[in-house]
């Protein structure tokens, strides 16, 4: 079916928001997820927003036979592959867990696409491939730096696999989306991020601090060579990010891609510092956070943000949501999860 999409990791943070946008655009979604870092409740949230409950298969993408049954049973033209582990520090401690899971699942997907003649794939890549870039903002041509974590390495390796497969196999077209820092939640507060344990990422740590789950937010470094001394990132609203996947799929279905493998940065194009983000969160939500300055976190780059010209021109996509709306949505979601009025 032309408008069928397989979404691996569709119960997760980015996957659930993308599923909502796909359904809104008239796609029929089949989700495969093993709930390794997600919850079945996100399917209820998707249904509350869209009125549609996507077809769901509980399976691990490393289990090729289980995945094969999904390809046998469902007729989709496109795949969006989100299913992967994403904790940078954990990947350094347990590299094989990351190589096995992130690469095997991706290779299974690509092999089954070849076997079952399903042509289109969007791969979830990351700005982590740029490392500590020499020039900012980074364009898709900015050279990748050697990965500093097994997690980052799996993103680079999967990009390379996709490049090679699309070059060798006429039947496969791929788009890698390099995400910058996805934040926020659906404006209806029906879906959002559900980190397990202590959050690694800034915004969930902020919202949990505001909710009183964490005592104090640590700002990792105020002595960087940046305008205010804290790191700068490109924080992209999760719904804007989700929409980029829909236009990527539409592009491939319409045959508008200019090559069989394309790469797009998905960010706002604007740097925001950690201090600015924290202040912005406090102002948008009219509250005060308990904050302290801590040592730099190993592996953090001082600054990275996207040049989004390529996505703007070729995909006709740009980030639209204002940062304070995103930060209000993040807090509304945390309150809902914690039952805070
Ligand atoms: C990281 C990964 C990225 C991955 C993303 C989502 C790297 C270099 N980055 O992005 O690939 O896609 O997570 O999992 O591999 N901060 C604090 N206090 C906190 C938490 C964070 O000050 O409690 C700061 C960090 O030092 C950083 C900024 O906030 O400067 C953003 O951190 P984070 O949300 O973890 O994202 P990245 O490290 O940019």
């Amino acid at each position: 079916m032309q408008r069928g999409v397989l979404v691996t990791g569709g119960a997760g943070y980015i996957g659930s928001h993308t599923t909502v946008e796909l359904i809104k655009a008239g796609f029929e979604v089949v989700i495969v997820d093993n709930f390794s870092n997600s919850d079945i409740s996100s399917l209820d949230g998707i249904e509350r927003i869209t009125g549609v409950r996507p077809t769901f298969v509980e399976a691990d993408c490393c289990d090729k036979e289980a995945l094969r049954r999904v390809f046998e049973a469902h007729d989709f033209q496109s795949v969006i592959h989100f299913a992967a582990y994403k904790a940078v520090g954990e990947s350094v401690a347990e590299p094989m867990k990351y190589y096995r899971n992130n690469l095997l699942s991706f290779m299974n997907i690509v092999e089954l696409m070849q076997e079952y003649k399903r042509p289109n794939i969007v791969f979830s890549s990351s700005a982590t491939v740029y490392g500590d870039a020499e020039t900012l903002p980074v364009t898709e041509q900015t050279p990748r730096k050697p990965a500093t974590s097994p997690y980052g390495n799996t993103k680079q390796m999967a990009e390379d696999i996709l490049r090679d497969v699309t070059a060798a196999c006429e039947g496969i077209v791929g788009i890698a989306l390099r995400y910058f820092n996805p934040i926020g939640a659906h404006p209806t507060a029906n879906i959002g991020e559900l980190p397990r344990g202590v959050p690694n990422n800034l915004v969930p740590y902020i919202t949990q601090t505001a909710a009183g789950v964490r005592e104090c937010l640590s700002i990792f470094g105020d002595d960087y060579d940046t305008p205010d001394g804290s790191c700068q990132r490109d924080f992209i609203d999760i719904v804007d990010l989700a929409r980029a996947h829909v236009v990527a799929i539409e592009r491939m279905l319409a045959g508008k891609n200019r090559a069989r493998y394309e790469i797009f940065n998905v960010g706002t194009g604007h740097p925001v510092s950690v201090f600015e983000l924290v202040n912005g969160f406090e102002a948008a939500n009219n509250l005060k956070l308990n904050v302290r300055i801590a040592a730099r976190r190993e592996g953090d780059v001082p600054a990275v943000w996207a040049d989004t010209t390529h996505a703007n021109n070729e995909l006709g996509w740009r980030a639209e949501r204002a940062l304070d709306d995103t930060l209000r949505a993040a807090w509304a979601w945390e309150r809902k999860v914690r039952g805070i009025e």
Side-chain angles (χ1 to χ4, degrees):
M1 190 191 31
Q2 172 86 348
R3 294 188 78 78
V5 183
L6 173 66
V7 179
T8 74
Y13 176 45
I14 307 179
S16 59
H17 288 81
T18 299
T19 298
V20 164
E21 297 308 308
L22 286 167
I23 292 171
K24 280 169 59 183
F27 286 94
E28 262 183 51
V29 176
V30 179
I31 290 177
V32 172
D33 203 299
N34 65 351
F35 301 127
S36 71
N37 189 27
S38 60
D39 195 278
I40 196 158
S41 61
S42 62
L43 301 180
D44 303 330
I46 293 167
E47 188 174 359
R48 278 197 297 277
I49 298 167
T50 63
V52 175
R53 194 169 184 89
T55 304
F56 174 73
V57 180
E58 184 168 352
D60 184 335
C61 293
C62 292
D63 179 349
K64 193 169 183 183
E65 289 318 303
L67 214 47
R68 177 184 299 285
R69 289 192 286 276
V70 177
F71 276 75
E72 285 280 349
H74 300 281
D75 182 22
F76 43 82
Q77 290 287 294
S78 309
V79 179
I80 307 181
H81 182 55
F82 293 110
Y85 294 149
K86 62 169 187 177
V88 176
E90 183 186 56
S91 81
V92 174
E94 296 179 73
M96 281 318 294
K97 178 174 170 178
Y98 275 69
Y99 288 118
R100 168 166 286 279
N101 185 62
N102 291 8
L103 296 178
L104 198 54
S105 61
F106 180 66
M107 291 190 290
N108 284 341
I109 288 285
V110 171
E111 284 177 347
L112 288 167
M113 286 176 65
Q114 290 179 292
E115 193 178 327
Y116 287 85
K117 305 207 178 330
R118 310 298 168 86
N120 306 322
I121 179 164
V122 176
F123 173 67
S124 294
S125 190
S126 167
T128 196
V129 302
Y130 296 114
D132 191 4
E134 323 258 299
T135 53
L136 291 169
V138 290
T139 75
E140 291 80 358
Q141 276 72 50
T142 301
R144 297 184 322 188
K145 286 282 183 70
T148 53
S149 73
Y151 159 77
N153 211 12
T154 66
K155 293 298 178 192
Q156 296 201 351
M157 292 164 90
E159 282 193 354
D160 292 345
I161 291 170
L162 191 54
R163 179 201 60 207
D164 295 346
V165 169
T166 51
C169 171
E170 292 228 353
I172 306 272
V173 173
I175 291 181
L177 297 180
R178 290 178 176 162
Y179 311 146
F180 283 68
N181 289 61
I183 61 165
H186 199 268
T188 63
N190 281 302
I191 50 174
E193 198 168 2
L194 280 172
R196 297 220 167 138
V198 183
N200 292 308
N201 298 118
L202 180 60
V203 168
Y205 210 103
I206 288 176
T207 57
Q208 290 195 9
T209 306
V213 180
R214 309 282 154 208
E215 220 166 86
C216 180
L217 171 74
S218 297
I219 298 197
F220 299 139
D222 68 348
D223 57 352
Y224 283 99
D225 185 15
T226 56
D228 66 16
S230 66
C231 293
Q232 295 174 299
R233 294 289 183 274
D234 185 332
F235 296 99
I236 168 86
D237 182 270
I238 187 69
V239 177
D240 282 334
L241 177 75
R243 284 192 301 105
H245 298 78
V246 178
V247 293
I249 294 285
E250 298 275 19
R251 177 179 178 85
M252 292 187 285
L253 286 175
K256 288 188 176 157
N257 46 292
R258 292 185 194 267
R260 290 219 301 278
Y261 174 54
E262 295 180 304
I263 301 170
F264 294 96
N265 286 341
V266 184
T268 65
H270 302 290
V272 170
S273 76
V274 174
F275 281 133
E276 285 169 337
L277 194 90
V278 170
N279 294 338
F281 182 86
E282 291 180 331
N285 295 302
N286 197 22
L287 49 75
K288 236 15 206 170
L289 291 167
N290 195 9
V291 172
R292 71 182 187 109
I293 308 298
R296 292 182 179 192
R297 183 173 70 177
E298 202 183 330
D300 278 342
V301 300
V304 63
W305 69 93
D307 182 320
T308 60
T309 310
H310 189 46
N312 298 161
N313 292 347
E314 285 294 318
L315 296 178
W317 171 92
R318 64 182 65 246
E320 287 169 1
R321 298 252 299 157
L323 183 60
D324 53 351
D325 288 336
T326 303
L327 295 173
R328 272 192 282 273
W331 179 224
W333 167 247
E334 186 73 51
R335 288 202 314 273
K336 170 122 183 242
V337 169
R338 307 285 166 194
I340 301 169
E341 283 305 307

